[in-house]
Amino acid sequence: MDDLFSVAGKTALVTGGARGLGFTYAKALASRGAKVIICDLDEHAVAAAVAELTSYGEIKGYKANVAIEQEVIALVDKVSNELGQLDILINNAGVVQRVTTEDMTLQEWNRVMDVNLTGTFLCCKHFGVMMKRKGKGKIINVSSIAGRMGLDLRLAYCTSKAAIEHLTRTLAAEWGPDHVNINAIGPGYIKTAMNEDTRADPVRYQKMLNQLPWGRFGEPEELVGVLLFLASPASDYVTGQTIFVDGGLLTQ
Ligand SMILES: NC(=O)c1ccc[n+]([C@@H]2O[C@H](COP(=O)([O-])OP(=O)(O)OC[C@H]3O[C@@H](n4cnc5c(N)ncnc54)[C@H](O)[C@@H]3O)[C@@H](O)[C@H]2O)c1
């Protein structure tokens, strides 16, 4: 039973791991014996996160923008040199843009798509090669309840997350014969910097709480159970799925 959910000795990359949910995923994996690399946009934020995570296990960090293909390719080299191969890829880096559709510029639309969707595609493509070569691997993409619900002011975000779910299904079919599992986590409302501004608005915050059967936002640590399931042998015959961790939000 213990081995079923074990990630000990595995190698993992968490994109956008300097803070928020990515930081929590990196901590969860490192503290259970995985060798973890995080990447993020800001060198200082990466260094600070690595300094904090070092007490939990083996961890390194690099500055990389997942939306830029050359940076992803350079990261593949670093991960290869550092870890030799990659068992677990967590495509967590993401951005949200709250704006009405009439006011959204093409640049804003493209930024959300570039990071959330293209970044996921680029990391799947370039790190997937390492996994396909090995005939084994776990890719965990990050969708959202926004991939299933239409949320106001977030046309690009919701569209990108719905596309991540379909990318997950489609790639799972393509790489099934290579025994690479591609699944997604779909967080609900989880307390991080990403939604600090909405939680600071009492009317908006209460409206969100009213939607939640559980009556509260989730804590980042509450995603760890599904993360470990998808990263470990427990999910070896599970692929193309999105598992929601949302306090029942999608039942509404
Ligand atoms: N917090 C929630 O309630 C919630 C709900 C559903 C889905 N999600 C998803 O979970 C993921 C993490 O969200 P979070 O709440 O921790 O957000 P966050 O803003 O706290 O953290 C996101 C991290 O990604 C990094 N990042 C952004 N663009 C990047 C890029 N191009 N390359 C590399 N790193 C980049 C940021 O610098 C940041 O460190 C996102 O994909 C988000 O869409 C979050």
Side-chain angles (χ1 to χ4, degrees):
M1 180 72 175
D2 282 351
D3 286 350
L4 198 55
F5 291 89
S6 173
V7 292
K10 300 290 183 193
T11 54
L13 171 69
V14 184
T15 71
R19 74 173 196 196
L21 302 182
F23 181 90
T24 302
Y25 299 148
K27 182 171 151 185
L29 293 168
S31 63
R32 287 166 178 83
K35 292 178 192 168
V36 180
I37 289 183
I38 61 167
C39 80
D40 211 299
L41 290 176
D42 180 80
E43 208 165 346
H44 299 292
V46 169
V50 169
E52 202 177 330
L53 288 166
T54 298
S55 59
Y56 295 95
E58 237 177 284
I59 182 119
K60 290 241 157 69
Y62 296 103
K63 176 182 175 310
N65 182 340
V66 297
I68 299 177
E69 187 163 27
Q70 294 88 324
E71 295 199 19
V72 173
I73 292 169
L75 188 62
V76 171
D77 278 347
K78 286 171 185 143
V79 169
S80 291
N81 293 338
E82 201 65 54
L83 304 175
Q85 44 86 39
L86 189 68
D87 299 307
I88 302 160
L89 165 65
I90 305 179
N91 283 315
N92 165 78
V95 290
V96 68
Q97 180 82 37
R98 287 188 185 82
V99 62
T100 63
T101 300
E102 310 87 275
D103 289 335
M104 186 189 296
T105 62
L106 179 60
Q107 200 182 16
E108 286 170 331
W109 169 272
N110 284 341
R111 185 177 80 95
V112 175
M113 289 297 168
D114 285 352
V115 177
N116 297 4
L117 184 56
T118 307
T120 298
F121 155 67
L122 289 173
C123 290
C124 284
K125 173 180 163 141
H126 292 291
F127 287 101
V129 171
M130 295 167 87
M131 294 179 171
K132 277 162 66 82
R133 207 182 295 131
K134 201 179 165 195
K136 206 173 167 55
K138 302 273 186 183
I139 296 180
I140 302 168
N141 295 327
V142 177
S143 177
S144 164
I145 46 106
R148 296 278 172 104
M149 297 168 79
L151 302 176
D152 64 342
L153 304 175
R154 277 157 287 178
L155 184 71
Y157 184 73
C158 293
T159 306
S160 73
K161 292 299 186 180
I164 286 172
E165 273 199 59
H166 205 53
L167 178 153
T168 300
R169 267 190 297 272
T170 308
L171 197 54
E174 187 178 329
W175 288 355
D178 303 289
H179 300 139
V180 178
N181 301 73
I182 298 118
N183 291 293
I185 293 186
Y189 299 149
I190 314 292
K191 279 187 204 158
T192 69
M194 188 176 260
N195 47 51
E196 224 162 41
D197 54 341
T198 15
R199 281 182 288 122
D201 174 344
V203 176
R204 200 175 167 87
Y205 188 37
Q206 192 54 53
K207 198 175 144 200
M208 291 168 91
L209 293 178
N210 292 345
Q211 292 177 293
L212 283 159
W214 234 245
R216 62 169 177 82
F217 270 48
E219 299 294 335
E221 290 70 24
E222 292 181 286
L223 294 165
V224 170
V226 169
L227 175 86
L228 292 175
F229 169 64
L230 293 177
S232 68
S235 60
D236 275 355
Y237 199 57
V238 178
T239 197
Q241 303 301 310
T242 299
I243 302 182
F244 289 93
V245 184
D246 68 351
L249 184 54
L250 285 181
T251 63
Q252 299 305 289

